[in-house]
Amino acid sequence: MYRYDEFDHAFVRQRANQFKGQVARRLSGELTEDEFKPLRLMNGLYLQLHAYMLRVTIPYGTMSSRQLRQLAIIGRKYDKGYGHFTTRQNIQFNWPKLEDVPQILEDLAAVEMHAIQSSGNCIRNVTSDHYAGAIATEVSDPRIHSEVIRQWSSLHPEFSFLPRKFKFAVTGDATDRAAVKFHDIGIIIKKNDAGEVGGEILVGGGMGRTPMIGKTIRDFVPERDLLAYVEAILRVYNLYGRRDNKYKARIKILVHERGIEEIREKVEAEFAQIQGSSLTVPQEELDRIAAYFADPDFEAFDAEALEAINRELEVRKFENRDFAAWMKTNVKPHKQAGYAIADITLKGIGETAGDITSDQMDVVADLTEQFSLDEMRASHEQNLILPHVKQADLFELWSALNSHGLGTPNSGLITDMIVCPGMDYCALATARSIPIGQEISRRFADLERQYDIGGMKIKMSGCINACGHHHAGHIGILGVDRRGEEVYQITLGGSGDETASVGARVGPAFTADEVVDAIETIVNTYLDLRESPEETFLSAYRRVGLDPFKEKLYAAA
Amino acid sequence: MSAKIVTAYHLRDGDAVFLREDTSWSKDVAEAAVVETAEAEAALLETGQADVTRNIVLDVYAVDVEIVDGTPKPTKFRELLRCLGPSNRTDLGKQAA
Ligand code: SF4
């Protein structure tokens, strides 16, 4: 895992200290709210519906047990005993007091964490594949370049006041779990025909009120030039991006209005100027960073040992149906024989998606240390992952998770939804999303039914900002305010994977009382029309389109 | 004009607060001063605004209410939630008190 160097340490402590002074001056009245607001936002501190909210960044979602334990302490000491994992692989605390925030930032700094660039018109926390470094099909660990970008973008003077916020996602696998096509810049790490590592660069993707799929601007940039290339994009954006209209300021609008060809031309011209400059990352530096993400000390198992482990697992599964269910959905193959990836979905039936108590954080931290070579991940789907678990430890791990309400066997199933905080917390919301998510979860709680429905991604946002990625949901739900009433628009056919698509609106919105029935109608329609149980909801939708769903949903109207 | 109250955020803890008759702030909407004329609303807002200058609260604004059982109840859902707390966690926020 990446460890802060001297520069990072000094910088993060200095920022915490600086903010302490700013808070003191705000409380004494030396700073007005107008003066203070940009400062607090630069430190991840928002004012929400009921209280301040502190958003802590987790670079590319990777954390150690020590860091998670510190988050547990912060949740307990300064909040109300819990935190909320977001779709940017960050964690939010919902109830901190202003005067406590400087101390929280100091406590975070002590474990190499901070809340910088989690807000404002700058380059935000770089997100990545939550299975990075563990999944067998990966070309190269995407966290290496995520970290290069993190270092380059941290407080970059030229890019601290962009026309709008700017989001990067990096994947190192052809199967996209990081929604790279929905980011301002998405990078797919791959190899060229000569076997060199580099990246395909996509630009102009995004969610929000104008969802767009990113377009490939260059199919392959060698890894030493990746930074120069993305800097060239940022420069072009900084120069031509619209600052006159907040809603047209994202790079996706620039790419859309000017066309990818013109943007490519400008970026290539800029790149030609800076290629080979100080932005070319020297191989030694790439190697130095890569060393942090080198494989941990995996134990080697011979064929006989592996067979014995598998036999034992089969017996356990036979004896314990709950364990078998968890194995079926929450455990993924690892690149190292004898190891597995374990998903901890923060989606207990009827619970708030992404919420985790401090006590549960402690449990996960202990299990991370005990079973996952001290590494865990937060995914953009609001789940946690233990990436390096010995198969032989899976039963013990599951038993511990299960006894703390963390063993829900639903990874990738219909109850594993993304749900943004919505109006229960968020000051920008137009409707609540959490209670709708809870009701859907309860409605589809039956595991056999979930298996029957198969892979399904429901994603829900409480306003047009789309933090809940509803555009990329197989079923997307957007809560809006219709003359003082919370109503819900449904979109179908969105996808955030390598086949990315934006969901299409099915028709008029549903009231809070109707929307869960509508979801059930959609699911039942799919079950009726699919060609076989192997045809997923997304495939079926792509085959038949909106009409059959529309007919069923609005037949009675 | 519909009945109104004046609300703000408490600077130190970010809590939703409501202006009382006596110009102090309460965390309980039931204690809020209710006004029914534009002049009274302007006066109440001015009182609240003075506490922005004094760095006690921020974001002062008026909220439409109806009177239910003698107490003001915001007509907008968002404002009602601010008076209660998150609806998924009835153990938290003002509703828990
Ligand atoms: S989508 Fe809207 S309601 Fe949901 S967290 Fe984002 S800003 Fe808030």
Side-chain angles (χ1 to χ4, degrees):
Chain A
M1 253 179 78
Y2 184 73
R3 302 299 310 260
Y4 275 15
D5 59 19
E6 284 307 304
F7 171 79
D8 289 319
H9 271 296
F11 159 65
V12 168
R13 285 197 183 279
Q14 192 191 16
R15 269 296 279 269
N17 211 23
Q18 191 184 43
F19 193 58
K20 191 180 198 167
Q22 290 161 347
V23 169
R25 281 187 285 145
R26 175 70 187 109
L27 290 172
S28 75
E30 237 179 282
L31 289 175
T32 65
E33 187 59 21
D34 284 349
E35 290 162 334
F36 180 66
K37 189 175 173 183
L39 302 173
R40 72 166 156 77
L41 286 175
M42 273 156 67
N43 288 286
L45 188 64
Y46 288 71
L47 185 59
Q48 293 287 36
L49 218 52
H50 311 293
Y52 289 100
M53 178 273 279
L54 183 69
R55 182 179 296 156
V56 178
T57 58
I58 304 166
Y60 32 87
T62 297
M63 259 191 295
S64 67
S65 61
R66 183 168 152 262
Q67 292 174 315
L68 187 57
R69 250 180 228 118
Q70 187 76 313
L71 294 176
I73 291 171
I74 289 169
R76 211 174 273 125
K77 201 161 153 192
Y78 304 107
D79 208 88
K80 295 187 189 277
Y82 71 110
H84 173 78
F85 281 98
T86 76
T87 53
R88 291 216 57 77
Q89 297 178 302
N90 292 327
I91 186 167
Q92 296 181 173
F93 291 106
N94 294 307
W95 307 90
K97 292 192 178 6
L98 180 57
E99 55 204 356
D100 288 337
V101 175
Q103 187 57 51
I104 300 176
L105 295 185
E106 267 184 41
D107 292 356
L108 288 170
V111 294
E112 308 184 333
M113 296 184 93
H114 60 74
I116 300 165
Q117 288 181 212
S118 63
S119 161
N121 293 337
C122 57
I123 296 170
R124 302 288 188 89
N125 186 35
V126 180
T127 54
S128 188
D129 183 358
H130 44 269
Y131 292 165
I135 194 90
T137 46
E138 187 173 273
V139 172
S140 170
D141 193 323
R143 293 172 302 165
I144 301 167
H145 292 285
S146 302
E147 176 54 27
V148 172
I149 294 167
R150 186 195 72 81
Q151 292 190 13
W152 158 81
S153 67
S154 290
L155 290 190
H156 195 304
E158 203 177 326
F159 306 136
S160 294
F161 298 97
L162 292 165
R164 277 289 274 143
K165 58 186 166 185
F166 203 94
K167 297 176 180 177
F168 275 87
V170 188
T171 177
D173 191 6
T175 300
D176 180 9
R177 282 169 294 269
V180 298
K181 294 187 180 177
F182 277 104
H183 282 74
D184 295 282
I185 290 182
I187 301 178
I188 304 167
I189 303 292
K190 49 158 115 164
K191 284 188 177 152
N192 65 8
D193 294 341
E196 292 161 340
V197 174
E200 176 181 344
I201 317 275
L202 295 110
V203 67
M207 307 255 184
R209 70 179 59 220
T210 325
M212 300 260 186
I213 306 282
K215 298 178 179 68
T216 299
I217 185 163
R218 232 280 202 141
D219 192 49
F220 188 83
V221 178
E223 59 177 343
R224 65 178 176 282
D225 287 331
L226 276 175
L227 211 48
Y229 202 87
V230 298
E231 169 128 355
I233 296 174
L234 261 298
R235 285 187 183 183
V236 167
Y237 171 54
N238 220 357
L239 200 59
Y240 299 101
R242 289 180 60 169
R243 290 173 192 265
D244 60 320
N245 181 342
K246 186 177 160 186
Y247 301 117
K248 295 195 182 295
R250 295 290 288 266
I251 194 171
K252 63 188 174 188
I253 306 293
L254 184 69
V255 173
H256 182 70
E257 286 182 351
R258 303 244 180 168
I260 186 70
E261 292 76 22
E262 185 186 334
I263 299 299
R264 184 181 292 125
E265 215 173 278
K266 287 186 168 27
V267 168
E268 289 289 341
E270 190 68 39
F271 177 58
Q273 300 269 326
I274 55 179
Q275 188 182 19
S277 69
S278 58
L279 286 165
T280 301
V281 184
Q283 192 56 46
E284 311 82 75
E285 183 57 13
L286 276 177
D287 292 345
R288 190 185 72 84
I289 292 176
Y292 286 110
F293 300 103
D295 281 348
D297 277 336
F298 291 127
E299 198 178 318
F301 298 94
D302 60 25
E304 205 178 317
L306 289 174
E307 212 188 302
I309 292 166
N310 274 324
R311 257 200 319 271
E312 167 82 17
L313 279 176
E314 287 309 314
V315 173
R316 291 284 193 194
K317 286 200 282 187
F318 183 75
E319 288 171 351
N320 191 318
R321 285 186 56 187
D322 292 344
F323 175 61
W326 183 77
M327 284 288 293
K328 182 176 164 131
T329 49
N330 291 40
V331 175
K332 309 286 154 63
H334 197 280
K335 65 179 181 185
Q336 179 76 18
Y339 282 79
I341 302 169
D343 292 342
I344 305 169
T345 60
L346 301 179
K347 314 285 168 61
I349 298 302
E351 287 176 8
T352 302
D355 274 13
I356 180 169
T357 67
S358 284
D359 292 349
Q360 288 176 320
M361 286 187 230
D362 277 339
V363 169
V364 176
D366 289 348
L367 297 174
T368 297
E369 203 173 8
Q370 196 181 346
F371 294 121
S372 185
L373 299 168
D374 206 20
E375 212 183 287
M376 53 90 45
R377 311 283 171 75
S379 77
H380 86 269
E381 292 181 326
Q382 301 178 288
N383 294 325
L384 301 180
I385 288 97
L386 298 189
H388 307 305
V389 182
K390 274 189 218 161
Q391 285 179 309
D393 291 336
L394 284 167
F395 184 76
E396 207 181 327
L397 169 68
W398 169 79
S399 306
L401 287 170
N402 208 35
S403 61
H404 291 93
L406 292 164
T408 311
N410 61 351
S411 181
L413 299 178
I414 189 168
T415 57
D416 181 11
M417 285 168 276
I418 290 181
V419 183
C420 86
M423 205 184 266
D424 282 301
Y425 292 94
C426 179
L428 301 173
T430 41
R432 286 178 298 168
S433 38
I434 294 171
I436 304 297
Q438 291 174 303
E439 208 184 320
I440 294 172
S441 172
R442 284 189 286 262
R443 180 77 63 97
F444 291 96
D446 181 77
L447 206 48
E448 289 306 323
R449 191 176 180 205
Q450 293 194 58
Y451 291 152
D452 188 26
I453 298 163
M456 167 71 91
K457 292 187 189 295
I458 295 184
K459 304 185 182 188
M460 187 174 354
S461 307
C463 82
I464 195 74
N465 287 325
C467 305
H469 293 194
H470 64 276
H471 298 299
H474 300 167
I475 299 177
I477 306 173
L478 167 64
V480 294
D481 178 333
R482 189 174 63 193
R483 292 181 296 278
E485 185 188 15
E486 296 170 291
V487 297
Y488 297 87
Q489 293 174 358
I490 295 180
T491 50
L492 298 181
S495 171
D497 66 9
E498 62 283 0
T499 68
S501 52
V502 174
R505 197 157 144 204
V506 75
F510 297 89
T511 63
D513 286 342
E514 297 163 345
V515 65
V516 182
D517 288 339
I519 300 299
E520 194 160 23
T521 302
I522 290 165
V523 169
N524 288 338
T525 307
Y526 152 67
L527 292 175
D528 285 346
L529 63 72
R530 68 182 175 188
E531 288 181 330
S532 73
E534 284 70 46
E535 189 180 42
T536 61
F537 176 84
L538 189 61
S539 309
Y541 171 81
R542 284 175 175 171
R543 178 171 57 80
V544 302
L546 276 178
D547 287 346
F549 297 96
K550 256 187 176 156
E551 263 165 42
K552 293 279 184 196
L553 281 168
Y554 302 104
Chain B
M1 182 185 111
S2 78
K4 285 183 196 287
I5 59 170
V6 163
T7 184
Y9 290 90
H10 196 254
L11 172 65
R12 277 177 190 270
D13 53 20
D15 215 340
V17 285
F18 309 94
L19 196 53
R20 292 190 181 100
E21 295 276 354
D22 69 0
T23 75
S24 65
W25 295 92
S26 169
K27 298 199 172 194
D28 183 357
V29 68
E31 296 179 4
V34 179
V35 290
E36 288 182 344
T37 65
E39 297 77 53
E41 180 193 346
L44 205 58
L45 279 170
E46 200 178 320
T47 308
Q49 208 56 43
D51 280 346
V52 172
T53 318
R54 288 161 53 210
N55 299 300
I56 297 169
V57 295
L58 53 134
D59 282 0
V60 173
Y61 60 98
V63 167
D64 289 341
V65 291
E66 54 189 0
I67 306 299
V68 179
D69 297 333
T71 41
K73 183 180 167 202
T75 52
K76 287 221 172 66
F77 198 75
R78 178 184 197 274
E79 296 308 322
L80 195 58
L81 276 171
R82 279 182 80 241
C83 299
L84 297 171
S87 67
N88 63 318
R89 291 293 304 264
T90 47
D91 57 325
L92 301 178
K94 299 177 191 317
Q95 60 205 349

